Amino acid sequence: MLRRVVRQSKFRHVFGQAVRNDQCYDDIRVSRVTWDSSFCAVNPKFVAIIIDASGGGAFLVLPLQKTGRIDKVYPTVCGHTGPVLDIDWCPHNDHVIASGSEDCTVMVWQIPENGLENPLSEPVVVLEGHSKRVGIVSWHPTARNVLLSAGCDNQIVIWNVGTGEAMINLEDMHPDVIFSVSWSRNGSLLCTACKDKKVRVIDPRKKKVIAVSRSAARGFGAWMLRVWSNLSQNEPTNMAAQSDKCCFCFQEKDKAHEGARPMRAIFLADGNIFTTGFSRMSERQLALWKTDNMDEPICVQEMDSSNGVLLPFYDPDTSVVYLCGKGDSSIRYFEITDEAPFVHYLNTFSTKEPQRGMGYMPKRGLDVNKCEIARFYKLHERKCEPIIMTVPRKSDLFQDDLYPDTAGPDPALEAEEWFAGKNGGPILISLKDGYVSTKNRDLKVVKTKNVLETKPATKAENIPTVPKHVSAPQPSVKMEDKLEEVLREFKSLRDRVILQDRRIARLEEQVAKVAM
């Protein structure tokens, strides 16, 4: 009798746990807009949640420690004139967030150090270039001030936020709505999922599609052409054999996301692409692709028959993918390896309430002392609930195998360097002593003429660059002056309080003498 061999993995026993009710964010009016985005974005300082708002679009920005019931009059970010569809925190500045809206604009916001005290309606910069609603915004992983936006006008625009310019416009590459866009690890390539059921790999600076997945319908159509060709040549005897081939071909080709529901595609650290989608029978699927051969996926797995879109969240340090379905009440997680079947199921975390959206904390925001490898912020109808994923370990020492060096907040490149053709991987940091946040510099925008209003540059060397002295360290000097002024005011107030205390003491002595 053969014994079943269990695959060894340090993530086999990962378990999820929801926090206590007093650590949740309550009484939040989560957005009801019909768009398949996560509605939530998280970084080590803030959690941002898209909410329902009358008279336009808005989202909440809460410090992580501000748990409990959120007042209905709590200030919001409310500059859009239409519902907000997507938000994304800048990976290089924990106080900068971008938002895309139905009003066809992208706005970039600077959040104060301690959060909002008043409604924020004036963005740092407004980026206008889309003709229809903007459903996707995504920051470059390694270059400062480079932002991508994708709209329902089927085009992708890449902006230099530091100058407010639209530097690259990728149009005529997608014939239909773009469902998702993902940067590669070093930000040199993009992968997109489109309503035409194809996944594309794009070099944005060359404005070139370098790989595209093949549609199953195209394979079936080619077979039909061969069959009719044979019939026209009077070969009816081969019809049965051709029919068998038809069934085989159709079943093989039909495996890779041929359903009408939205797809998602993300780049993995090794350059492969992970996708989620639906089959023709509306069964949810996941697939793994190699960028050098997009004709067929490496593997395809069917999951269930639910109709919620699967949102993938990927940890490049552990090669674990978490799948959160909109409307589901569970989070499934898989480990991706080089061994067949390549995508290995680990476990499922389930709750009673369905999720309307999900936020994913970057690695540098986790508690390494508790072996926390992921933290999600699950959106209910009126609440945001943190969920902690933990690897059980007996030792209290730092677990090097769970926490390899991870991407830090420092950018590897400036925007001008990336647009000029330079690439750079993320700058890694160690989490051994716990991540300590440093003060972020303010986002400064220096407006220049939009290059898209003139003839677009086709070569990287023809794109005008912004001199380095634009971001001179003048803001830091101003901040020091302000700090000195605040300290002087604080000292004068302290002296005044001391004087008042002495006066009160003298008056009390006088009152006591009169009473006697």
Side-chain angles (χ1 to χ4, degrees):
M1 181 177 178
L2 294 176
R3 297 179 60 184
R4 183 179 179 183
V5 179
V6 178
R7 189 182 68 88
Q8 293 295 320
S9 171
K10 53 180 171 283
F11 304 111
R12 277 183 56 225
H13 302 291
V14 171
F15 67 95
Q17 184 175 11
V19 301
R20 302 191 308 269
N21 285 334
D22 61 344
Q23 295 178 334
C24 296
Y25 307 86
D26 289 316
D27 205 12
I28 296 173
R29 307 179 307 276
V30 178
S31 175
R32 297 175 179 272
V33 67
T34 55
W35 185 256
D36 290 318
S37 71
S38 60
F39 291 163
C40 182
V42 192
N43 69 17
K45 289 187 177 181
F46 301 101
V47 53
I49 303 168
I50 302 175
I51 60 172
D52 270 336
S54 58
F59 59 95
L60 276 174
V61 176
L62 303 172
L64 291 184
Q65 66 272 15
K66 187 173 178 58
T67 55
R69 183 180 177 275
I70 306 301
D71 199 309
K72 291 183 178 179
V73 296
Y74 190 87
T76 62
V77 181
C78 52
H80 286 286
T81 58
V84 178
L85 300 180
D86 196 20
I87 51 178
D88 192 32
W89 287 105
C90 177
H92 310 124
N93 190 331
D94 289 338
H95 294 270
V96 173
I97 186 171
S99 59
S101 168
E102 282 193 1
D103 62 10
C104 308
T105 65
V106 177
M107 295 185 181
V108 180
W109 311 85
Q110 180 97 31
I111 306 300
E113 179 71 27
N114 298 318
L116 297 178
E117 296 180 355
N118 299 297
L120 183 60
S121 58
E122 293 296 329
V124 178
V125 61
V126 179
L127 306 174
E128 297 177 314
H130 289 279
S131 59
K132 293 185 179 180
R133 61 180 181 172
V134 181
I136 300 171
V137 289
S138 179
W139 291 93
H140 193 284
T142 62
R144 190 198 309 273
N145 291 344
V146 177
L147 177 66
L148 174 150
S149 64
C152 291
D153 51 5
N154 308 338
Q155 66 176 343
I156 297 173
V157 181
I158 301 179
W159 310 83
N160 183 347
V161 176
T163 61
E165 290 181 311
M167 303 296 292
I168 298 173
N169 194 332
L170 304 177
E171 52 187 357
D172 301 328
M173 290 187 177
H174 300 87
D176 215 323
V177 176
I178 302 169
F179 287 142
S180 73
V181 183
S182 173
W183 293 97
S184 62
R185 178 75 164 161
N186 66 355
S188 61
L189 299 174
L190 301 172
C191 74
T192 66
C194 182
K195 194 174 180 180
D196 65 355
K197 306 173 186 177
K198 293 183 181 180
V199 178
R200 292 170 173 83
V201 180
I202 300 171
D203 187 329
R205 288 169 294 189
K206 295 181 180 179
K207 298 185 178 181
K208 180 180 179 182
V209 177
I210 62 176
V212 60
S213 64
R214 184 170 63 177
S215 172
R218 192 170 71 178
F220 181 67
W223 175 85
M224 287 297 295
L225 287 175
R226 291 199 306 270
V227 170
W228 287 111
S229 175
N230 290 339
L231 288 175
S232 64
Q233 296 175 7
N234 297 322
E235 296 181 0
T237 55
N238 292 333
M239 190 60 192
Q242 293 289 347
S243 177
D244 293 339
K245 290 181 182 178
C246 168
C247 295
F248 175 76
C249 174
F250 189 83
Q251 291 169 0
E252 283 293 308
K253 296 288 185 181
D254 197 17
K255 290 193 300 184
H257 309 329
E258 281 301 306
R261 298 283 295 159
M263 298 169 54
R264 288 290 185 275
I266 56 172
F267 258 117
L268 304 182
D270 59 2
N272 291 339
I273 295 175
F274 180 87
T275 60
T276 62
F278 293 80
S279 69
R280 288 181 184 269
M281 304 301 294
S282 296
E283 294 176 326
R284 294 197 292 192
Q285 301 172 317
L286 58 87
L288 191 64
W289 308 74
K290 280 188 175 294
T291 53
D292 56 359
N293 183 13
M294 298 286 287
D295 288 342
E296 293 290 338
I298 303 173
C299 72
V300 178
Q301 294 184 20
E302 292 187 353
M303 297 179 59
D304 53 35
S305 297
S306 179
N307 61 356
V309 176
L310 287 170
L311 305 178
F313 297 93
Y314 173 61
D315 181 0
D317 302 327
T318 59
S319 295
V320 175
V321 173
Y322 303 86
L323 299 184
C324 308
K326 298 203 73 173
D328 290 3
S329 57
S330 62
I331 302 174
R332 297 179 177 90
Y333 33 107
F334 301 78
E335 184 178 6
I336 299 177
T337 68
D338 296 330
E339 304 173 358
F342 306 108
V343 181
H344 306 272
Y345 172 76
L346 291 174
N347 210 336
T348 300
F349 169 78
S350 298
T351 57
K352 295 180 180 179
E353 297 293 329
Q355 55 219 18
R356 301 188 61 181
M358 192 72 70
Y360 180 63
M361 174 68 76
K363 206 64 170 291
R364 55 192 174 90
L366 304 181
D367 188 350
V368 297
N369 298 318
K370 296 180 180 179
C371 295
E372 181 184 4
I373 65 166
R375 190 190 309 162
F376 293 91
Y377 287 73
K378 175 181 175 179
L379 299 186
H380 299 246
E381 187 174 356
R382 302 279 297 185
K383 182 173 74 171
C384 176
E385 178 185 37
I387 297 171
I388 297 172
M389 298 289 180
T390 306
V391 177
R393 292 286 173 92
K394 294 181 179 179
S395 174
D396 293 332
L397 300 176
F398 178 75
Q399 306 295 314
D400 299 82
D401 59 330
L402 298 183
Y403 301 105
D405 290 352
T406 190
D410 295 327
L413 303 169
E414 295 296 329
E416 297 76 27
E417 295 176 314
W418 185 81
F419 284 113
K422 190 175 180 180
N423 293 323
I427 297 177
L428 304 181
I429 60 173
S430 174
L431 300 177
K432 186 170 185 178
D433 299 322
Y435 170 70
V436 179
S437 175
T438 57
K439 186 171 179 59
N440 295 292
R441 69 183 190 182
D442 291 342
L443 174 64
K444 297 296 180 182
V445 178
V446 181
K447 285 281 189 177
T448 61
K449 188 175 180 181
N450 192 329
V451 296
L452 291 181
E453 295 177 358
T454 59
K455 184 178 179 181
T458 57
K459 296 183 180 179
E461 57 269 18
N462 292 334
I463 298 177
T465 58
V466 178
K468 292 287 185 180
H469 64 267
V470 169
S471 56
Q474 295 177 0
S476 61
V477 176
K478 293 181 180 179
M479 291 299 294
E480 289 178 2
D481 295 339
K482 289 182 179 179
L483 181 60
E484 290 179 1
E485 183 180 351
V486 170
L487 290 175
R488 284 196 299 270
E489 292 181 1
F490 176 76
K491 187 177 180 181
S492 65
L493 288 173
R494 185 183 63 180
D495 295 340
R496 188 179 300 176
V497 169
I498 292 173
L499 291 174
Q500 293 294 336
D501 286 342
R502 292 174 181 172
R503 183 183 177 190
I504 291 170
R506 286 197 302 269
L507 291 172
E508 287 177 346
E509 290 177 0
Q510 294 175 6
V511 170
K513 289 178 181 179
V514 171
M516 292 174 64

